[in-house]
Amino acid sequence: MERLTSPPRLMIVSDLDHTMVDHHDPENLSLLRFNSLWEHAYRHDSLLVFSTGRSPTLYKELRKEKPLLTPDITIMSVGTEITYGNSMVPDHGWVETLNNKWDLGIVKEEASKFSELKLQAETEQRPHKVSFYVDKSKAQEVTKELSQRFLKRGLDVKIIYSGGMDLDILPQGAGKGQALAYLLKKLKTEGKLPVNTLACGDSGNDAELFSIPDVYGVMVSNAQEELLKWHAENAKDNPKVIHAKERCAGGIIQAIGHFKLGPNLSPRDVSDFLECKVENVNPGHEVVKFFLFYERWRRGEVENSEAYTASLKASSHPGGVFVHPSGTEKSLRDTIDELRKYHGDKQGKKFRVWTDQVLATDTTPGTWIVKLDKWEQDGEERRGCTTTVKFTAKEGEGLVWEHVQQTWSEESNVKNDSSWII
């Protein structure tokens, strides 16, 4: 978050499963649409927050399975853990807040007396969260009885039922809503309170997100019955909370447009990149646009046309250099020529490309350095490169690619030099 010198233009706080991530979308198209919109229009001056019921272990598993962006802040285990940045640095102030009137031993002891509760996997048991499965028909009765027992033992806890089967026991001060309230207060203290905040969810444990004052909310079209019921009883007259017509990440994009929070046209929704012009010089957009074109070229979704290769060459410096992850240097224009023979080689295959953490720095007047992570999913293989691009621009002319350097990402599970193009 250090890159932000002023309040974020937008902070999106989104649940993951069935909200940001559509598990019924094998191509991950709605997620990829959101990714390119975020990297093109928001990454440089906004904050992305993932708020998930998943433990750190299961969250990291999801990151390996789906093309998720890297968030600025991660809230996990139903709002009981807050971490920052790539290295996921924990918020110790939040830990201290949650310790109030919480005793993990007593929580486990009382819960063990209910045969209706089936303990979830060990990875889901956290310092401030105990998680069970419970039959839908027994949930209300068990919740009521448990609450009374905890009260008698002097604990102040919260019980959240969601997903039609998950029952989580947390400190009273925990939960997705309280974690968001804590975060907003902290950002305000630092002089970085977001101009707008959009909360996104699909299930009962997301309801609290929509109760925070001055926050916009979207329930995606596939929201579960428990959340729709909560909305009907608590927020149906709140114009700041909508039920989207689109599923998952598509619903998030819809909400950005509905509330007029900023651009909501994803570069993935633009069919012809030659017609895709941005009013202001935007090096980050150029990178997002190029790698989208690269994906479509390999998939055979754009015409094998001289116009495209001529346009790419025209925007490359005659002496431009590309440094391959292997360390080999070649001419940028030769690399574009080489692209021609790969047109349509991934047609009909599971091949997707996305960019992450796209950040442009204006180094000297007319010169930019763009740093990003570029990822490819090819069948079950995922490869990634840390990429640095140097752009120059002259008045009246567009951006010119001068230098591209790539090195294998530590997270890349395949590092095959021979089949990597750019």
Side-chain angles (χ1 to χ4, degrees):
M1 294 197 300
E2 290 76 17
R3 72 177 190 282
L4 297 176
T5 54
S6 57
R9 175 165 54 120
L10 175 64
M11 181 165 80
I12 284 187
V13 183
S14 179
D15 172 52
L16 291 178
D17 296 287
H18 310 292
T19 302
M20 184 63 76
V21 175
D22 189 345
H23 292 285
H24 299 289
D25 177 8
E27 288 279 347
N28 301 303
L29 288 179
S30 64
L31 177 56
L32 289 168
R33 282 179 63 220
F34 174 84
N35 289 359
S36 61
L37 173 62
W38 187 261
E39 295 301 329
H40 144 62
Y42 293 98
R43 173 69 78 174
H44 64 290
D45 66 357
S46 298
L47 288 176
L48 181 61
V49 182
F50 289 157
S51 182
T52 177
R54 287 179 178 244
S55 64
T57 301
L58 287 189
Y59 167 65
K60 287 171 185 173
E61 280 181 19
L62 186 66
R63 289 193 63 81
K64 289 175 184 173
E65 295 164 11
K66 297 290 182 179
L68 284 167
L69 295 181
T70 302
D72 299 285
I73 303 167
T74 315
I75 301 171
M76 295 166 288
S77 306
V78 199
T80 60
E81 300 180 59
I82 300 175
T83 65
Y84 301 91
N86 284 9
S87 47
M88 297 177 71
V89 178
D91 188 316
H92 297 295
W94 183 236
V95 172
E96 288 175 25
T97 301
L98 297 186
N99 284 335
N100 185 38
K101 290 191 175 180
W102 172 257
D103 187 310
L104 190 61
I106 293 175
V107 169
K108 288 182 174 178
E109 179 194 329
E110 290 296 339
S112 69
K113 297 172 184 175
F114 289 79
S115 60
E116 301 92 336
L117 294 175
K118 307 295 178 195
L119 206 61
Q120 290 186 19
E122 189 58 38
T123 59
E124 299 314 286
Q125 312 309 324
R126 305 296 297 167
H128 296 97
K129 179 177 81 79
V130 187
S131 297
F132 299 91
Y133 295 120
V134 64
D135 188 85
K136 192 175 181 179
S137 62
K138 305 282 178 60
Q140 197 169 352
E141 180 189 334
V142 169
T143 300
K144 187 178 177 183
E145 178 64 25
L146 255 181
S147 297
Q148 290 170 353
R149 292 196 181 205
F150 289 140
L151 209 57
K152 284 177 185 173
R153 297 291 300 269
L155 299 189
D156 195 8
V157 305
K158 171 191 290 183
I159 301 172
I160 296 177
Y161 173 67
S162 64
M165 61 177 185
D166 299 317
L167 189 139
D168 299 307
I169 305 170
L170 328 166
Q172 187 60 247
K176 289 185 174 185
Q178 277 90 333
L180 174 54
Y182 170 87
L183 200 53
L184 287 168
K185 186 178 178 183
K186 183 172 182 171
L187 289 168
K188 186 176 182 180
T189 304
E190 295 170 357
K192 292 181 181 177
L193 183 69
V195 177
N196 288 302
T197 299
L198 174 65
C200 321
D202 78 297
S203 73
N205 67 18
D206 299 314
E208 292 181 352
L209 292 171
F210 306 126
S211 305
I212 306 301
D214 303 318
V215 168
Y216 292 100
V218 56
M219 303 179 297
V220 291
S221 71
N222 51 294
Q224 296 189 26
E225 178 190 338
E226 69 224 19
L227 183 59
L228 298 178
K229 184 171 181 284
W230 173 88
H231 179 258
E233 293 171 358
N234 300 278
K236 66 178 180 188
D237 297 321
N238 183 355
K240 285 195 164 188
V241 180
I242 63 163
H243 185 193
K245 290 185 171 65
E246 290 195 47
R247 289 179 59 83
C248 300
I252 299 173
I253 295 172
Q254 182 191 335
I256 291 171
H258 176 86
F259 294 122
K260 297 180 171 57
L261 302 177
N264 70 322
L265 176 64
S266 170
R268 278 193 177 267
D269 296 331
V270 176
S271 56
D272 189 347
F273 291 133
L274 292 178
E275 301 299 319
C276 182
K277 303 295 181 189
V278 177
E279 288 178 19
N280 301 313
V281 171
N282 186 336
H285 174 74
E286 286 299 313
V287 169
V288 172
K289 189 173 75 168
F290 170 76
F291 285 115
L292 263 178
F293 169 79
Y294 171 78
E295 175 194 287
R296 291 177 183 177
W297 183 265
R298 301 283 304 271
R299 288 172 61 90
E301 292 172 352
V302 292
E303 189 185 341
N304 188 351
S305 159
E306 278 292 331
Y308 285 114
T309 48
S311 174
L312 289 173
K313 276 190 165 183
S315 60
S316 300
H317 191 278
V321 173
F322 167 50
V323 183
H324 190 273
S326 63
T328 306
E329 290 189 15
K330 59 172 84 173
S331 154
L332 264 178
R333 291 190 170 184
D334 287 349
T335 305
I336 292 164
D337 280 335
E338 193 183 332
L339 255 185
R340 292 183 181 185
K341 67 184 182 189
Y342 292 100
H343 182 268
D345 70 324
K346 299 297 181 184
Q347 195 165 15
K349 296 177 182 175
K350 186 181 177 184
F351 177 78
R352 293 292 176 188
V353 177
W354 67 99
T355 51
D356 184 21
Q357 302 189 91
V358 178
L359 290 172
T361 307
D362 187 352
T363 53
T364 57
T367 305
W368 289 266
I369 298 294
V370 181
K371 293 189 175 179
L372 65 139
D373 292 325
K374 180 253 176 171
W375 290 93
E376 283 185 13
Q377 182 85 35
D378 191 357
E380 298 308 309
E381 287 187 353
R382 179 184 291 195
R383 302 184 293 173
C385 268
T386 299
T387 304
T388 304
V389 183
K390 180 185 177 184
F391 284 104
T392 54
K394 292 178 182 174
E395 202 167 328
E397 297 178 19
L399 288 163
V400 176
W401 295 62
E402 282 218 351
H403 193 270
V404 180
Q405 181 157 3
Q406 294 186 320
T407 54
W408 289 115
S409 166
E410 288 179 12
E411 295 172 40
S412 184
N413 57 20
V414 178
K415 298 176 182 178
N416 184 348
D417 290 337
S418 62
S419 61
W420 183 267
I421 303 168
I422 188 168

